[in-house]
Amino acid sequence: IVPMLLALLFGSAMRRKISSIFGKGWAKTLLLFLGVKVRVFGKNDFKSKGVFFASNHLSYIDILVLYSRFRVVFVSKHDVKKWPIIGLLAKYVGTIFINRSHKSKAKEYVTQITQLLKKRINVLFFPEGTSSSGENILPFKSSLFEAPIETRGDIQPVFLEYESINGEKVDSKTRDKICWYGDIDFKKHVLDFLNFKSVTSNIYLAPIIENSKYLNLNRKLLSETTYKAISDIKEKVNSTS
């Protein structure tokens, strides 16, 4: 309650920044309760704030996993608001909720993200636009890549995977126990997840895409560059597992 009251004293950008600091603690606490261990691989020494994070998307738990390690404002689909616990946390920390069916609002979303990046607030989004089984990385939606082009800010590509459940390695036969996508029943999936004793998740950070390296790129080319960076990490991880 206290951080929420403090946040109300400031503008929307500062509210998001303050809330994200406390939200990171919430995420760590919830993951501890859920038995989820998070490991980070790759350099975590960002040269600047106002970094645009782009990650693949596997499950509703991704938000907690990523939030527990990075102070970011999330960009998420609008129906996340209805998710139990995670939806509450998402609203509390000032998540930018977008509705991709309203293409006319794309510019408005880009403006919101741009304003945060200019205020040196990190933003994280899932360019696939939805979660998947993780077998393949889905094609990226490119519209929001206009934001880092406008701010000339750095981009941090992120590859996320779930390595084990209850000590057993996640494979093609068990990945749907942790990945939530398509027509998988949400309520049943969450209840099954709550019965896990332990989950190990891995976050891999690809080299940052520095703004000086994409001055001549449009949003589609920048999206493709980021997609390749994440795909390369996925390929390396798969080849060593």
Side-chain angles (χ1 to χ4, degrees):
I1 297 176
V2 174
M4 292 178 71
L5 292 175
L6 289 173
L8 289 173
L9 297 175
F10 302 91
S12 60
M14 186 56 67
R15 285 204 302 272
R16 284 189 164 105
K17 185 173 184 178
I18 293 173
S19 296
S20 70
I21 295 172
F22 290 96
K24 185 176 179 180
W26 273 31
K28 284 185 174 181
T29 300
L30 283 171
L31 290 180
L32 182 64
F33 173 76
L34 293 170
V36 179
K37 179 181 179 181
V38 182
R39 303 187 300 182
V40 180
F41 300 89
K43 292 185 178 181
N44 190 4
D45 54 344
F46 310 115
K47 296 179 181 179
S48 64
K49 294 183 179 179
V51 175
F52 193 63
F53 287 71
S55 173
N56 63 310
H57 194 13
L58 302 171
S59 178
Y60 46 83
I61 201 69
D62 295 355
I63 295 173
L64 293 179
V65 169
L66 293 165
Y67 208 9
S68 72
R69 291 297 180 269
F70 310 118
R71 289 181 179 176
V72 295
V73 169
F74 274 93
V75 178
S76 186
K77 57 185 181 181
H78 68 287
D79 46 332
V80 170
K81 290 181 181 180
K82 302 175 183 179
W83 292 359
I85 301 179
I86 294 177
L88 177 63
L89 174 63
K91 287 188 287 186
Y92 167 72
V93 298
T95 296
I96 297 174
F97 294 104
I98 65 175
N99 189 337
R100 294 190 183 276
S101 63
H102 295 168
K103 294 183 179 180
S104 60
K105 291 190 175 182
K107 186 175 181 179
E108 177 185 325
Y109 299 140
V110 169
T111 298
Q112 290 184 57
I113 295 170
T114 299
Q115 290 174 346
L116 293 177
L117 294 175
K118 285 182 177 179
K119 292 181 182 295
R120 298 171 62 80
I121 297 173
N122 299 329
V123 175
L124 188 152
F125 87 123
F126 302 109
E128 292 170 291
T130 187
S131 52
S132 74
S133 68
E135 182 178 5
N136 298 299
I137 298 177
L138 303 178
F140 282 1
K141 311 292 185 182
S142 66
S143 60
L144 299 187
F145 280 93
E146 189 66 35
I149 287 178
E150 291 188 13
T151 63
R152 295 305 183 196
D154 294 340
I155 295 178
Q156 175 60 71
V158 178
F159 173 63
L160 174 65
E161 70 158 1
Y162 292 94
E163 181 178 295
S164 65
I165 300 173
N166 297 337
E168 298 292 330
K169 187 173 180 58
V170 174
D171 56 25
S172 59
K173 296 179 181 179
T174 60
R175 65 187 175 208
D176 286 5
K177 291 183 178 181
I178 188 72
C179 297
W180 178 73
Y181 60 98
D183 296 327
I184 297 177
D185 183 80
F186 181 71
K187 184 177 180 180
K188 183 179 183 303
H189 198 273
V190 172
L191 291 176
D192 289 342
F193 181 87
L194 292 175
N195 286 320
F196 295 156
K197 293 181 180 179
S198 66
V199 172
T200 299
S201 59
N202 297 326
I203 298 172
Y204 296 89
L205 302 175
I208 280 183
I209 301 173
E210 298 179 14
N211 56 28
S212 60
K213 296 181 180 179
Y214 62 84
L215 291 177
N216 296 320
L217 298 183
N218 58 37
R219 60 181 175 83
K220 289 188 177 181
L221 289 174
L222 184 54
S223 170
E224 292 172 3
T225 299
T226 306
Y227 181 93
K228 184 178 186 306
I230 297 175
S231 297
D232 287 348
I233 291 291
K234 173 180 169 59
E235 185 176 341
K236 290 179 181 178
V237 170
N238 290 346
S239 66
T240 57
S241 61

